Amino acid sequence: MQSSTPDLLTMLTELIATPSVSCTAAHWDQSNLSVIGKLESWLSGLGFKTEVMAIPGHPGKANLIATLGSGPGGLVLSGHTDTVPFNAELWNSDPFKLTEKDGRFYGLGTCDMKGFFAIAIEAARKFIDKPLQQPLIILATADEESSMSGARALAEAGQPKARYAVIGEPTGMRPIYMHKGIMMEQVRIKGRSGHSSDPALGASALDAMHSVLGELLSFRKELQRDYQNSDFAVSVPTLNLGCIHGGDNPNRICGACELEYDLRPLPGMSAENLREAVSKRLQPLQHTFGVEIITEPLFPGIPAFHNDKHSELVNTAEKLTGHQAEAVAFATEAPFLQGLGMDTIVMGPGSIDQAHQPDEYLAFDQIKPTVAVLEQLIARYCFSS
């Protein structure tokens, strides 16, 4: 039965060679079904029961839930099948060809995070002919790098069910028990264009945006005064003014202006409350400048994640890896799996420093230790009731 599933290196080679970019820009966005198909074939070949879950409203996108064994508890090993867009001209090798050099595997998705699937399947292979007392679930999701539609669909469906979950994002195999959330928001100002020689002929959206920017910077200062968590390297919530577009000619009063910004809340901060606070601050500017100000999210946002620092899974991962649990600023699918009732951590091979940039790589020396840790987690959580 196992002969239908290739070795780790072949799996990694094939996964990297299969494009699955997800992006909010339609010209970049791709289906992930080819990656799902490969994983489904390999896992069913090892005896896993597989379910391919189409993502409602997202044609060409799907999750995979592959289950070995049964029972009310068990362990989920989870990863996302998509990658970010890329700049091929900045790579020193083909992003879609696994390249071995200087003790590293280079390729798009090697650490973020197709490599984790090959490693997780390799770890699972050891237990194929052994009777599990609790299920082992390998979970593959869609669109983590854009909308997180895959994780949201799982939360909506209430599956999978298990007691523990490890999300294999690149953390250098350091267990992560907490991360910030992420909100991407937009402010749109509708003014009235007119001849620049007489300000009374229009209502400048750019003038209004100047005050909007001031309010947002004041809001940021207040948030960072009122909220801190020293477990994070950046201990305060951040608000980044990302991009702004407005106007069309120097001698024309600006009739429209748009701003997009990123806000990363700490655990315990409510996205809805933050949106409401921004809206309340900006609305009075409509009367001041004679414009319309619209605030809205660019996507629903990702909640912050916070597990008990002394949970069973956190403590076990610390003992197995020799690393103390940490907090990170980047967001993951962890809050969605935790919301399904699982003791959840983020922990995988590679470094976030190599993700989302040219010449992404996974170091050779990360692979065997990761397989060994996953084997020990499977043995602990799938062979005890």
Side-chain angles (χ1 to χ4, degrees), residues 78-114:
S78 180
H80 61 80
T81 57
D82 57 319
T83 71
V84 291
F86 59 97
N87 299 100
E89 72 279 6
L90 299 180
W91 281 68
N92 289 305
S93 59
D94 184 342
F96 295 107
K97 182 179 180 181
L98 190 69
T99 302
E100 301 178 41
K101 184 180 179 182
D102 299 328
R104 299 169 175 175
F105 285 120
Y106 289 90
L108 183 65
T110 46
C111 75
D112 190 20
M113 56 175 299
K114 291 178 176 179

PDB file of all heavy atoms in Angstrom, residues 78-114:
ATOM      1  N   SER A  78      -1.514  20.451  10.530  1.00  0.00           N
ATOM      2  CA  SER A  78      -2.204  21.325   9.581  1.00  0.00           C
ATOM      3  C   SER A  78      -1.242  22.236   8.827  1.00  0.00           C
ATOM      4  O   SER A  78      -0.262  22.740   9.400  1.00  0.00           O
ATOM      5  CB  SER A  78      -3.226  22.192  10.331  1.00  0.00           C
ATOM      6  OG  SER A  78      -3.916  23.044   9.446  1.00  0.00           O
ATOM      7  N   GLY A  79      -1.551  22.454   7.558  1.00  0.00           N
ATOM      8  CA  GLY A  79      -0.788  23.396   6.751  1.00  0.00           C
ATOM      9  C   GLY A  79      -1.650  23.997   5.659  1.00  0.00           C
ATOM     10  O   GLY A  79      -2.742  23.506   5.382  1.00  0.00           O
ATOM     11  N   HIS A  80      -1.157  25.064   5.038  1.00  0.00           N
ATOM     12  CA  HIS A  80      -1.879  25.666   3.913  1.00  0.00           C
ATOM     13  C   HIS A  80      -1.185  25.303   2.609  1.00  0.00           C
ATOM     14  O   HIS A  80       0.044  25.210   2.534  1.00  0.00           O
ATOM     15  CB  HIS A  80      -2.040  27.178   4.081  1.00  0.00           C
ATOM     16  CG  HIS A  80      -0.773  27.964   4.157  1.00  0.00           C
ATOM     17  ND1 HIS A  80      -0.033  28.322   3.032  1.00  0.00           N
ATOM     18  CD2 HIS A  80      -0.106  28.501   5.208  1.00  0.00           C
ATOM     19  CE1 HIS A  80       1.007  29.043   3.402  1.00  0.00           C
ATOM     20  NE2 HIS A  80       1.000  29.166   4.713  1.00  0.00           N
ATOM     21  N   THR A  81      -1.980  25.115   1.578  1.00  0.00           N
ATOM     22  CA  THR A  81      -1.481  24.635   0.286  1.00  0.00           C
ATOM     23  C   THR A  81      -1.049  25.755  -0.644  1.00  0.00           C
ATOM     24  O   THR A  81      -0.442  25.492  -1.682  1.00  0.00           O
ATOM     25  CB  THR A  81      -2.572  23.820  -0.430  1.00  0.00           C
ATOM     26  OG1 THR A  81      -3.737  24.652  -0.582  1.00  0.00           O
ATOM     27  CG2 THR A  81      -2.926  22.569   0.346  1.00  0.00           C
ATOM     28  N   ASP A  82      -1.375  27.002  -0.314  1.00  0.00           N
ATOM     29  CA  ASP A  82      -1.098  28.118  -1.218  1.00  0.00           C
ATOM     30  C   ASP A  82       0.225  28.790  -0.880  1.00  0.00           C
ATOM     31  O   ASP A  82       0.775  28.634   0.206  1.00  0.00           O
ATOM     32  CB  ASP A  82      -2.235  29.143  -1.171  1.00  0.00           C
ATOM     33  CG  ASP A  82      -2.499  29.673   0.233  1.00  0.00           C
ATOM     34  OD1 ASP A  82      -2.462  28.874   1.194  1.00  0.00           O
ATOM     35  OD2 ASP A  82      -2.744  30.885   0.392  1.00  0.00           O
ATOM     36  N   THR A  83       0.725  29.555  -1.842  1.00  0.00           N
ATOM     37  CA  THR A  83       1.898  30.396  -1.636  1.00  0.00           C
ATOM     38  C   THR A  83       1.529  31.840  -1.965  1.00  0.00           C
ATOM     39  O   THR A  83       0.486  32.115  -2.555  1.00  0.00           O
ATOM     40  CB  THR A  83       3.073  29.978  -2.545  1.00  0.00           C
ATOM     41  OG1 THR A  83       2.765  30.326  -3.900  1.00  0.00           O
ATOM     42  CG2 THR A  83       3.357  28.497  -2.443  1.00  0.00           C
ATOM     43  N   VAL A  84       2.419  32.733  -1.620  1.00  0.00           N
ATOM     44  CA  VAL A  84       2.266  34.133  -2.016  1.00  0.00           C
ATOM     45  C   VAL A  84       2.722  34.303  -3.470  1.00  0.00           C
ATOM     46  O   VAL A  84       3.392  33.428  -4.023  1.00  0.00           O
ATOM     47  CB  VAL A  84       3.084  35.068  -1.104  1.00  0.00           C
ATOM     48  CG1 VAL A  84       2.498  35.114   0.287  1.00  0.00           C
ATOM     49  CG2 VAL A  84       4.547  34.653  -1.077  1.00  0.00           C
ATOM     50  N   PRO A  85       2.396  35.431  -4.109  1.00  0.00           N
ATOM     51  CA  PRO A  85       2.977  35.752  -5.420  1.00  0.00           C
ATOM     52  C   PRO A  85       4.498  35.879  -5.308  1.00  0.00           C
ATOM     53  O   PRO A  85       5.057  35.903  -4.199  1.00  0.00           O
ATOM     54  CB  PRO A  85       2.324  37.089  -5.782  1.00  0.00           C
ATOM     55  CG  PRO A  85       1.064  37.127  -4.993  1.00  0.00           C
ATOM     56  CD  PRO A  85       1.387  36.429  -3.703  1.00  0.00           C
ATOM     57  N   PHE A  86       5.167  35.981  -6.444  1.00  0.00           N
ATOM     58  CA  PHE A  86       6.624  35.963  -6.443  1.00  0.00           C
ATOM     59  C   PHE A  86       7.172  36.837  -7.569  1.00  0.00           C
ATOM     60  O   PHE A  86       6.481  37.121  -8.541  1.00  0.00           O
ATOM     61  CB  PHE A  86       7.129  34.524  -6.626  1.00  0.00           C
ATOM     62  CG  PHE A  86       6.648  33.891  -7.904  1.00  0.00           C
ATOM     63  CD1 PHE A  86       7.449  33.881  -9.036  1.00  0.00           C
ATOM     64  CD2 PHE A  86       5.378  33.331  -7.997  1.00  0.00           C
ATOM     65  CE1 PHE A  86       7.001  33.324 -10.231  1.00  0.00           C
ATOM     66  CE2 PHE A  86       4.923  32.773  -9.181  1.00  0.00           C
ATOM     67  CZ  PHE A  86       5.735  32.765 -10.303  1.00  0.00           C
ATOM     68  N   ASN A  87       8.421  37.242  -7.420  1.00  0.00           N
ATOM     69  CA  ASN A  87       9.149  37.986  -8.457  1.00  0.00           C
ATOM     70  C   ASN A  87      10.217  37.065  -9.029  1.00  0.00           C
ATOM     71  O   ASN A  87      11.329  36.991  -8.505  1.00  0.00           O
ATOM     72  CB  ASN A  87       9.786  39.241  -7.875  1.00  0.00           C
ATOM     73  CG  ASN A  87       8.759  40.201  -7.302  1.00  0.00           C
ATOM     74  OD1 ASN A  87       8.544  40.234  -6.095  1.00  0.00           O
ATOM     75  ND2 ASN A  87       8.125  40.968  -8.163  1.00  0.00           N
ATOM     76  N   ALA A  88       9.887  36.373 -10.118  1.00  0.00           N
ATOM     77  CA  ALA A  88      10.794  35.366 -10.678  1.00  0.00           C
ATOM     78  C   ALA A  88      12.146  35.969 -11.043  1.00  0.00           C
ATOM     79  O   ALA A  88      13.193  35.310 -10.891  1.00  0.00           O
ATOM     80  CB  ALA A  88      10.152  34.714 -11.904  1.00  0.00           C
ATOM     81  N   GLU A  89      12.153  37.238 -11.476  1.00  0.00           N
ATOM     82  CA  GLU A  89      13.399  37.857 -11.916  1.00  0.00           C
ATOM     83  C   GLU A  89      14.376  38.094 -10.764  1.00  0.00           C
ATOM     84  O   GLU A  89      15.574  38.298 -10.990  1.00  0.00           O
ATOM     85  CB  GLU A  89      13.111  39.182 -12.635  1.00  0.00           C
ATOM     86  CG  GLU A  89      12.649  40.330 -11.746  1.00  0.00           C
ATOM     87  CD  GLU A  89      11.175  40.293 -11.385  1.00  0.00           C
ATOM     88  OE1 GLU A  89      10.494  39.295 -11.740  1.00  0.00           O
ATOM     89  OE2 GLU A  89      10.698  41.244 -10.748  1.00  0.00           O
ATOM     90  N   LEU A  90      13.886  38.051  -9.540  1.00  0.00           N
ATOM     91  CA  LEU A  90      14.748  38.258  -8.380  1.00  0.00           C
ATOM     92  C   LEU A  90      15.276  36.956  -7.788  1.00  0.00           C
ATOM     93  O   LEU A  90      16.128  36.977  -6.891  1.00  0.00           O
ATOM     94  CB  LEU A  90      13.991  39.043  -7.301  1.00  0.00           C
ATOM     95  CG  LEU A  90      13.502  40.446  -7.702  1.00  0.00           C
ATOM     96  CD1 LEU A  90      12.775  41.106  -6.547  1.00  0.00           C
ATOM     97  CD2 LEU A  90      14.666  41.312  -8.169  1.00  0.00           C
ATOM     98  N   TRP A  91      14.771  35.836  -8.282  1.00  0.00           N
ATOM     99  CA  TRP A  91      15.236  34.537  -7.796  1.00  0.00           C
ATOM    100  C   TRP A  91      16.528  34.148  -8.517  1.00  0.00           C
ATOM    101  O   TRP A  91      16.714  34.449  -9.698  1.00  0.00           O
ATOM    102  CB  TRP A  91      14.178  33.465  -8.049  1.00  0.00           C
ATOM    103  CG  TRP A  91      13.049  33.447  -7.062  1.00  0.00           C
ATOM    104  CD1 TRP A  91      12.090  34.402  -6.898  1.00  0.00           C
ATOM    105  CD2 TRP A  91      12.758  32.423  -6.113  1.00  0.00           C
ATOM    106  NE1 TRP A  91      11.211  34.044  -5.905  1.00  0.00           N
ATOM    107  CE2 TRP A  91      11.597  32.825  -5.401  1.00  0.00           C
ATOM    108  CE3 TRP A  91      13.352  31.207  -5.792  1.00  0.00           C
ATOM    109  CZ2 TRP A  91      11.030  32.049  -4.392  1.00  0.00           C
ATOM    110  CZ3 TRP A  91      12.784  30.428  -4.791  1.00  0.00           C
ATOM    111  CH2 TRP A  91      11.645  30.852  -4.096  1.00  0.00           C
ATOM    112  N   ASN A  92      17.385  33.410  -7.804  1.00  0.00           N
ATOM    113  CA  ASN A  92      18.594  32.850  -8.403  1.00  0.00           C
ATOM    114  C   ASN A  92      18.371  31.445  -8.944  1.00  0.00           C
ATOM    115  O   ASN A  92      19.305  30.826  -9.464  1.00  0.00           O
ATOM    116  CB  ASN A  92      19.735  32.846  -7.384  1.00  0.00           C
ATOM    117  CG  ASN A  92      20.242  34.248  -7.100  1.00  0.00           C
ATOM    118  OD1 ASN A  92      20.625  34.976  -8.023  1.00  0.00           O
ATOM    119  ND2 ASN A  92      20.244  34.644  -5.841  1.00  0.00           N
ATOM    120  N   SER A  93      17.149  30.942  -8.802  1.00  0.00           N
ATOM    121  CA  SER A  93      16.777  29.643  -9.354  1.00  0.00           C
ATOM    122  C   SER A  93      15.296  29.711  -9.721  1.00  0.00           C
ATOM    123  O   SER A  93      14.601  30.679  -9.397  1.00  0.00           O
ATOM    124  CB  SER A  93      17.035  28.518  -8.346  1.00  0.00           C
ATOM    125  OG  SER A  93      16.296  28.735  -7.154  1.00  0.00           O
ATOM    126  N   ASP A  94      14.810  28.681 -10.394  1.00  0.00           N
ATOM    127  CA  ASP A  94      13.400  28.611 -10.775  1.00  0.00           C
ATOM    128  C   ASP A  94      12.560  28.409  -9.509  1.00  0.00           C
ATOM    129  O   ASP A  94      12.766  27.430  -8.777  1.00  0.00           O
ATOM    130  CB  ASP A  94      13.205  27.438 -11.735  1.00  0.00           C
ATOM    131  CG  ASP A  94      11.782  27.325 -12.271  1.00  0.00           C
ATOM    132  OD1 ASP A  94      10.862  27.918 -11.679  1.00  0.00           O
ATOM    133  OD2 ASP A  94      11.594  26.614 -13.272  1.00  0.00           O
ATOM    134  N   PRO A  95      11.616  29.318  -9.208  1.00  0.00           N
ATOM    135  CA  PRO A  95      10.805  29.170  -7.991  1.00  0.00           C
ATOM    136  C   PRO A  95      10.033  27.861  -7.941  1.00  0.00           C
ATOM    137  O   PRO A  95       9.679  27.391  -6.845  1.00  0.00           O
ATOM    138  CB  PRO A  95       9.851  30.372  -8.054  1.00  0.00           C
ATOM    139  CG  PRO A  95      10.498  31.348  -8.963  1.00  0.00           C
ATOM    140  CD  PRO A  95      11.274  30.547  -9.949  1.00  0.00           C
ATOM    141  N   PHE A  96       9.762  27.263  -9.136  1.00  0.00           N
ATOM    142  CA  PHE A  96       8.958  26.042  -9.181  1.00  0.00           C
ATOM    143  C   PHE A  96       9.801  24.784  -9.416  1.00  0.00           C
ATOM    144  O   PHE A  96       9.261  23.729  -9.735  1.00  0.00           O
ATOM    145  CB  PHE A  96       7.885  26.164 -10.266  1.00  0.00           C
ATOM    146  CG  PHE A  96       6.884  27.243  -9.965  1.00  0.00           C
ATOM    147  CD1 PHE A  96       6.893  28.437 -10.677  1.00  0.00           C
ATOM    148  CD2 PHE A  96       5.952  27.092  -8.955  1.00  0.00           C
ATOM    149  CE1 PHE A  96       5.988  29.447 -10.392  1.00  0.00           C
ATOM    150  CE2 PHE A  96       5.045  28.088  -8.657  1.00  0.00           C
ATOM    151  CZ  PHE A  96       5.056  29.272  -9.378  1.00  0.00           C
ATOM    152  N   LYS A  97      11.081  24.905  -9.220  1.00  0.00           N
ATOM    153  CA  LYS A  97      11.962  23.741  -9.322  1.00  0.00           C
ATOM    154  C   LYS A  97      12.749  23.615  -8.031  1.00  0.00           C
ATOM    155  O   LYS A  97      13.482  24.527  -7.644  1.00  0.00           O
ATOM    156  CB  LYS A  97      12.917  23.879 -10.507  1.00  0.00           C
ATOM    157  CG  LYS A  97      13.817  22.667 -10.685  1.00  0.00           C
ATOM    158  CD  LYS A  97      14.737  22.828 -11.907  1.00  0.00           C
ATOM    159  CE  LYS A  97      15.643  21.616 -12.074  1.00  0.00           C
ATOM    160  NZ  LYS A  97      16.546  21.776 -13.249  1.00  0.00           N
ATOM    161  N   LEU A  98      12.583  22.494  -7.326  1.00  0.00           N
ATOM    162  CA  LEU A  98      13.321  22.297  -6.084  1.00  0.00           C
ATOM    163  C   LEU A  98      14.815  22.249  -6.388  1.00  0.00           C
ATOM    164  O   LEU A  98      15.278  21.414  -7.172  1.00  0.00           O
ATOM    165  CB  LEU A  98      12.878  20.995  -5.409  1.00  0.00           C
ATOM    166  CG  LEU A  98      13.403  20.794  -3.982  1.00  0.00           C
ATOM    167  CD1 LEU A  98      12.742  21.789  -3.038  1.00  0.00           C
ATOM    168  CD2 LEU A  98      13.149  19.364  -3.510  1.00  0.00           C
ATOM    169  N   THR A  99      15.553  23.165  -5.796  1.00  0.00           N
ATOM    170  CA  THR A  99      16.986  23.295  -6.075  1.00  0.00           C
ATOM    171  C   THR A  99      17.774  23.067  -4.800  1.00  0.00           C
ATOM    172  O   THR A  99      17.525  23.721  -3.779  1.00  0.00           O
ATOM    173  CB  THR A  99      17.291  24.702  -6.628  1.00  0.00           C
ATOM    174  OG1 THR A  99      16.521  24.922  -7.813  1.00  0.00           O
ATOM    175  CG2 THR A  99      18.774  24.844  -6.945  1.00  0.00           C
ATOM    176  N   GLU A 100      18.713  22.139  -4.839  1.00  0.00           N
ATOM    177  CA  GLU A 100      19.551  21.828  -3.690  1.00  0.00           C
ATOM    178  C   GLU A 100      20.877  22.585  -3.801  1.00  0.00           C
ATOM    179  O   GLU A 100      21.580  22.481  -4.800  1.00  0.00           O
ATOM    180  CB  GLU A 100      19.830  20.327  -3.618  1.00  0.00           C
ATOM    181  CG  GLU A 100      18.576  19.470  -3.516  1.00  0.00           C
ATOM    182  CD  GLU A 100      18.909  17.988  -3.486  1.00  0.00           C
ATOM    183  OE1 GLU A 100      19.898  17.625  -2.812  1.00  0.00           O
ATOM    184  OE2 GLU A 100      18.203  17.206  -4.144  1.00  0.00           O
ATOM    185  N   LYS A 101      21.206  23.363  -2.769  1.00  0.00           N
ATOM    186  CA  LYS A 101      22.453  24.129  -2.788  1.00  0.00           C
ATOM    187  C   LYS A 101      22.827  24.536  -1.369  1.00  0.00           C
ATOM    188  O   LYS A 101      21.979  25.023  -0.615  1.00  0.00           O
ATOM    189  CB  LYS A 101      22.295  25.381  -3.666  1.00  0.00           C
ATOM    190  CG  LYS A 101      23.574  26.191  -3.827  1.00  0.00           C
ATOM    191  CD  LYS A 101      23.320  27.417  -4.719  1.00  0.00           C
ATOM    192  CE  LYS A 101      24.592  28.237  -4.861  1.00  0.00           C
ATOM    193  NZ  LYS A 101      24.373  29.460  -5.682  1.00  0.00           N
ATOM    194  N   ASP A 102      24.076  24.333  -1.031  1.00  0.00           N
ATOM    195  CA  ASP A 102      24.629  24.801   0.247  1.00  0.00           C
ATOM    196  C   ASP A 102      23.812  24.331   1.453  1.00  0.00           C
ATOM    197  O   ASP A 102      23.556  25.094   2.392  1.00  0.00           O
ATOM    198  CB  ASP A 102      24.726  26.332   0.262  1.00  0.00           C
ATOM    199  CG  ASP A 102      25.628  26.879  -0.825  1.00  0.00           C
ATOM    200  OD1 ASP A 102      26.605  26.185  -1.174  1.00  0.00           O
ATOM    201  OD2 ASP A 102      25.357  27.987  -1.330  1.00  0.00           O
ATOM    202  N   GLY A 103      23.368  23.084   1.414  1.00  0.00           N
ATOM    203  CA  GLY A 103      22.628  22.531   2.546  1.00  0.00           C
ATOM    204  C   GLY A 103      21.215  23.043   2.669  1.00  0.00           C
ATOM    205  O   GLY A 103      20.615  22.987   3.748  1.00  0.00           O
ATOM    206  N   ARG A 104      20.662  23.535   1.552  1.00  0.00           N
ATOM    207  CA  ARG A 104      19.305  24.091   1.566  1.00  0.00           C
ATOM    208  C   ARG A 104      18.507  23.606   0.364  1.00  0.00           C
ATOM    209  O   ARG A 104      19.073  23.351  -0.702  1.00  0.00           O
ATOM    210  CB  ARG A 104      19.353  25.623   1.523  1.00  0.00           C
ATOM    211  CG  ARG A 104      20.057  26.263   2.699  1.00  0.00           C
ATOM    212  CD  ARG A 104      20.287  27.751   2.430  1.00  0.00           C
ATOM    213  NE  ARG A 104      20.864  28.442   3.577  1.00  0.00           N
ATOM    214  CZ  ARG A 104      21.252  29.702   3.576  1.00  0.00           C
ATOM    215  NH1 ARG A 104      21.118  30.429   2.460  1.00  0.00           N
ATOM    216  NH2 ARG A 104      21.756  30.252   4.662  1.00  0.00           N
ATOM    217  N   PHE A 105      17.204  23.488   0.549  1.00  0.00           N
ATOM    218  CA  PHE A 105      16.275  23.282  -0.555  1.00  0.00           C
ATOM    219  C   PHE A 105      15.633  24.632  -0.875  1.00  0.00           C
ATOM    220  O   PHE A 105      14.944  25.209  -0.032  1.00  0.00           O
ATOM    221  CB  PHE A 105      15.169  22.291  -0.178  1.00  0.00           C
ATOM    222  CG  PHE A 105      15.606  20.861  -0.145  1.00  0.00           C
ATOM    223  CD1 PHE A 105      15.500  20.123   1.024  1.00  0.00           C
ATOM    224  CD2 PHE A 105      16.110  20.240  -1.282  1.00  0.00           C
ATOM    225  CE1 PHE A 105      15.879  18.793   1.063  1.00  0.00           C
ATOM    226  CE2 PHE A 105      16.501  18.911  -1.254  1.00  0.00           C
ATOM    227  CZ  PHE A 105      16.389  18.186  -0.077  1.00  0.00           C
ATOM    228  N   TYR A 106      15.848  25.121  -2.098  1.00  0.00           N
ATOM    229  CA  TYR A 106      15.233  26.371  -2.537  1.00  0.00           C
ATOM    230  C   TYR A 106      13.996  26.086  -3.374  1.00  0.00           C
ATOM    231  O   TYR A 106      13.951  25.120  -4.140  1.00  0.00           O
ATOM    232  CB  TYR A 106      16.229  27.184  -3.373  1.00  0.00           C
ATOM    233  CG  TYR A 106      17.357  27.779  -2.587  1.00  0.00           C
ATOM    234  CD1 TYR A 106      18.548  27.070  -2.397  1.00  0.00           C
ATOM    235  CD2 TYR A 106      17.253  29.049  -2.033  1.00  0.00           C
ATOM    236  CE1 TYR A 106      19.596  27.612  -1.668  1.00  0.00           C
ATOM    237  CE2 TYR A 106      18.299  29.600  -1.306  1.00  0.00           C
ATOM    238  CZ  TYR A 106      19.467  28.878  -1.131  1.00  0.00           C
ATOM    239  OH  TYR A 106      20.495  29.422  -0.403  1.00  0.00           O
ATOM    240  N   GLY A 107      12.993  26.951  -3.256  1.00  0.00           N
ATOM    241  CA  GLY A 107      11.785  26.836  -4.055  1.00  0.00           C
ATOM    242  C   GLY A 107      10.628  27.533  -3.372  1.00  0.00           C
ATOM    243  O   GLY A 107      10.606  27.675  -2.138  1.00  0.00           O
ATOM    244  N   LEU A 108       9.666  27.985  -4.156  1.00  0.00           N
ATOM    245  CA  LEU A 108       8.504  28.706  -3.627  1.00  0.00           C
ATOM    246  C   LEU A 108       7.631  27.756  -2.811  1.00  0.00           C
ATOM    247  O   LEU A 108       7.069  26.810  -3.358  1.00  0.00           O
ATOM    248  CB  LEU A 108       7.704  29.317  -4.780  1.00  0.00           C
ATOM    249  CG  LEU A 108       6.491  30.173  -4.391  1.00  0.00           C
ATOM    250  CD1 LEU A 108       6.919  31.423  -3.627  1.00  0.00           C
ATOM    251  CD2 LEU A 108       5.696  30.560  -5.639  1.00  0.00           C
ATOM    252  N   GLY A 109       7.530  28.015  -1.523  1.00  0.00           N
ATOM    253  CA  GLY A 109       6.740  27.164  -0.647  1.00  0.00           C
ATOM    254  C   GLY A 109       7.540  26.153   0.137  1.00  0.00           C
ATOM    255  O   GLY A 109       6.969  25.364   0.892  1.00  0.00           O
ATOM    256  N   THR A 110       8.866  26.154  -0.003  1.00  0.00           N
ATOM    257  CA  THR A 110       9.662  25.163   0.721  1.00  0.00           C
ATOM    258  C   THR A 110       9.457  25.260   2.225  1.00  0.00           C
ATOM    259  O   THR A 110       9.251  24.257   2.904  1.00  0.00           O
ATOM    260  CB  THR A 110      11.159  25.302   0.400  1.00  0.00           C
ATOM    261  OG1 THR A 110      11.523  26.690   0.459  1.00  0.00           O
ATOM    262  CG2 THR A 110      11.485  24.737  -0.971  1.00  0.00           C
ATOM    263  N   CYS A 111       9.498  26.492   2.767  1.00  0.00           N
ATOM    264  CA  CYS A 111       9.254  26.639   4.206  1.00  0.00           C
ATOM    265  C   CYS A 111       7.857  27.173   4.500  1.00  0.00           C
ATOM    266  O   CYS A 111       7.333  26.941   5.592  1.00  0.00           O
ATOM    267  CB  CYS A 111      10.334  27.510   4.858  1.00  0.00           C
ATOM    268  SG  CYS A 111      10.224  29.277   4.539  1.00  0.00           S
ATOM    269  N   ASP A 112       7.243  27.847   3.545  1.00  0.00           N
ATOM    270  CA  ASP A 112       5.932  28.472   3.788  1.00  0.00           C
ATOM    271  C   ASP A 112       4.919  28.039   2.738  1.00  0.00           C
ATOM    272  O   ASP A 112       4.625  28.803   1.821  1.00  0.00           O
ATOM    273  CB  ASP A 112       6.091  29.996   3.800  1.00  0.00           C
ATOM    274  CG  ASP A 112       4.838  30.706   4.288  1.00  0.00           C
ATOM    275  OD1 ASP A 112       4.003  30.071   4.949  1.00  0.00           O
ATOM    276  OD2 ASP A 112       4.696  31.908   3.998  1.00  0.00           O
ATOM    277  N   MET A 113       4.274  26.878   2.890  1.00  0.00           N
ATOM    278  CA  MET A 113       4.686  25.860   3.834  1.00  0.00           C
ATOM    279  C   MET A 113       4.422  24.457   3.296  1.00  0.00           C
ATOM    280  O   MET A 113       3.986  23.566   4.000  1.00  0.00           O
ATOM    281  CB  MET A 113       3.996  26.067   5.185  1.00  0.00           C
ATOM    282  CG  MET A 113       2.481  26.107   5.105  1.00  0.00           C
ATOM    283  SD  MET A 113       1.663  26.211   6.722  1.00  0.00           S
ATOM    284  CE  MET A 113       2.196  24.709   7.502  1.00  0.00           C
ATOM    285  N   LYS A 114       4.691  24.284   1.998  1.00  0.00           N
ATOM    286  CA  LYS A 114       4.476  22.973   1.393  1.00  0.00           C
ATOM    287  C   LYS A 114       5.432  21.926   1.955  1.00  0.00           C
ATOM    288  O   LYS A 114       5.097  20.737   1.999  1.00  0.00           O
ATOM    289  CB  LYS A 114       4.631  23.077  -0.128  1.00  0.00           C
ATOM    290  CG  LYS A 114       3.517  23.865  -0.803  1.00  0.00           C
ATOM    291  CD  LYS A 114       3.734  23.985  -2.300  1.00  0.00           C
ATOM    292  CE  LYS A 114       2.558  24.685  -2.968  1.00  0.00           C
ATOM    293  NZ  LYS A 114       2.773  24.834  -4.419  1.00  0.00           N
TER     294      LYS A 114
END
